[in-house]
Amino acid sequence: MNSPARTAEGSPLEGAVIAVAGAAGPAGRATVLRLAEAGATVIAADNDVAALASAVDTARYAHGGATVTGETVDLLDLEATRAWASRTEQEFGRIDGMVHLVGGWRGAKSFAEAPLTHWNTLHDLLIRTVQHTSLAFQEALQRSRNGRYVLISAAGVSKPTAGNAAYAASKAAAEAWTMALADAFRKEGGEDGPAAAAVVLVVKALVHDAMRAERPNAKFAGFTDVKDLAEAIVGVWDRPAEEVNGTRLWLTPQP
């Protein structure tokens, strides 16, 4: 069984190189901060240049000495995504993680009223970006010997609602693709077990401080705070690849 490599300080992420896709949103900012705190070198990507620069600067300021860089990458372009993975491995010598935080939501009042254009949008945001990042980073994660591919999914996949058909179906497809990556890691590992792991973290929805400030009386029942999500992401490296590969880890009660 492959166990996480730890430093004297006991952190499996000390010195690790982690790529974060969708790094400029609230979940991305919290994750970049937490990874930097854990000692990782973080390569953050997003298509919002200004928000990405802010996220990178905040993480650098909060954790003096942390290596945090930002790149604008078109994740809908497979070759551009492959080039990002290749540049990252060449520059830093390894890639130990790809955290996929590219999100998006479309919903409708009823099943019949849901426009199929919602599917087209979510297909690109929630499926195509997963396909491209997983294909681009798979081999580097295996070479790491402690690599992790982390996808954030939704509880609604297990119990889709009428107005969320496109969203739930898109998330389900992204999960299935990620589980196929987990099977590839398992097969590549052979008798020694997988050298890398693909993991799905399941939330009902995410909440952050700005949302609470806007709706001070809201309970956000079952929601996962982005800081808790970031903590759970870091925790994926605390367990051996064989133990977490191909698992769905619930951060909200199962429906």
Side-chain angles (χ1 to χ4, degrees), residues 172-193:
E175 281 199 21
W177 187 274
T178 302
M179 290 303 169
L181 174 62
D183 189 54
F185 285 149
R186 180 185 62 79
K187 289 177 176 176
E188 287 289 337
E191 294 182 358
D192 293 333

Side-chain angles (χ1 to χ4, degrees), residues 162-178:
N164 272 339
Y167 179 74
S170 300
K171 282 293 193 181
E175 281 199 21
W177 187 274
T178 302

Side-chain angles (χ1 to χ4, degrees), residues 3 5 23 41 43 54 62 78 116 121 135 165 172 180 213 223 228 244:
S3 298
T41 292
I43 297 83
S54 174
L78 177 57
L116 289 180
T121 299
L135 289 168
F223 285 39
D228 294 329
V244 296

Side-chain angles (χ1 to χ4, degrees), residues 35-254:
L35 288 167
E37 181 184 45
T41 292
V42 185
I43 297 83
D46 203 282
N47 60 5
D48 187 328
V49 178
L52 177 62
S54 174
V56 168
D57 288 345
T58 298
R60 287 174 177 166
Y61 179 80
H63 306 295
T67 300
V68 183
T69 64
E71 286 205 38
T72 304
V73 182
D74 181 4
L75 297 179
L76 294 179
D77 182 329
L78 177 57
E79 293 311 310
T81 310
R82 289 189 190 276
W84 176 38
S86 178
R87 282 196 309 275
T88 299
E89 190 174 23
Q90 288 178 8
E91 181 174 354
F92 297 99
R94 58 189 297 125
I95 301 174
D96 303 289
M98 156 50 64
V99 180
H100 187 279
L101 293 169
V102 180
W105 180 83
R106 296 291 186 279
K109 292 181 179 179
S110 70
F111 183 81
E113 293 176 316
L116 289 180
T117 53
H118 285 180
W119 169 260
N120 297 335
T121 299
L122 294 173
H123 174 271
D124 282 350
L125 287 173
L126 304 183
I127 303 173
R128 189 65 75 192
T129 58
V130 170
Q131 292 172 325
H132 289 174
T133 53
S134 59
L135 289 168
F137 284 85
Q138 177 194 2
E139 292 184 357
L141 294 175
Q142 288 175 174
R143 285 191 287 270
S144 156
R145 307 301 298 174
N146 193 31
R148 301 287 186 274
Y149 185 94
V150 183
L151 175 74
I152 312 306
S153 191
V157 168
S158 300
K159 194 175 181 180
T161 58
N164 272 339
Y167 179 74
S170 300
K171 282 293 193 181
E175 281 199 21
W177 187 274
T178 302
M179 290 303 169
L181 174 62
D183 189 54
F185 285 149
R186 180 185 62 79
K187 289 177 176 176
E188 287 289 337
E191 294 182 358
D192 293 333
V199 185
V200 175
L201 301 182
V202 184
V203 302
K204 176 182 177 180
L206 296 173
V207 63
H208 51 86
D209 291 344
M211 289 174 62
R212 291 194 178 93
E214 291 172 2
R215 300 170 58 193
N217 297 321
K219 297 185 182 299
F220 299 107
F223 285 39
T224 300
D225 192 282
V226 292
K227 297 184 185 71
D228 294 329
L229 174 65
E231 193 66 37
I233 290 169
V234 168
V236 168
W237 277 267
D238 286 337
R239 296 161 60 186
E242 186 171 3
E243 186 177 322
V244 296
N245 187 45
T247 59
R248 299 174 81 224
L249 306 178
W250 285 77
L251 305 184
T252 190
Q254 292 185 234

